[in-house]
Amino acid sequence: MKVSVIRARCEGHGLCEDAAPDLFRVDDDGELVSLFDEEQPVPEEFRDQAVKAVRVCPIAALSVTDRPA
């Protein structure tokens, strides 16, 4: 699974950080920081967090793409 971030859309609400603390942080300037390499698949152990983060984003700045194993 890959999580894509549309940074221009992100408004820094921080709901993704609450939903996926192992994957995201919002810095002091309100900018989203990925705690994983966005070019690589999200580790399987964080799959539930990633899906939840996408669901709670109020402006749809995140999306998930499933990739075959």
Side-chain angles (χ1 to χ4, degrees), residues 1-3 20 22-23 36-37 40-52 64-69:
M1 149 189 302
K2 183 175 177 192
V3 176
D22 294 309
L23 301 176
F36 63 97
D37 180 351
Q40 299 296 317
V42 172
E44 187 62 31
E45 64 264 27
F46 301 124
R47 180 182 185 84
D48 290 342
Q49 285 187 41
V51 170
K52 187 174 179 183
V64 170
T65 304
D66 277 319
R67 293 185 172 196

Side-chain angles (χ1 to χ4, degrees), residues 8-49:
R9 186 178 279 180
C10 180
E11 295 177 352
H13 293 279
L15 298 176
C16 60
E17 180 180 14
D18 292 341
D22 294 309
L23 301 176
F24 300 107
R25 293 275 184 271
V26 176
D27 69 15
D28 293 338
D29 295 323
E31 298 293 322
L32 181 63
V33 176
S34 296
L35 302 177
F36 63 97
D37 180 351
E38 291 181 42
E39 298 301 316
Q40 299 296 317
V42 172
E44 187 62 31
E45 64 264 27
F46 301 124
R47 180 182 185 84
D48 290 342
Q49 285 187 41

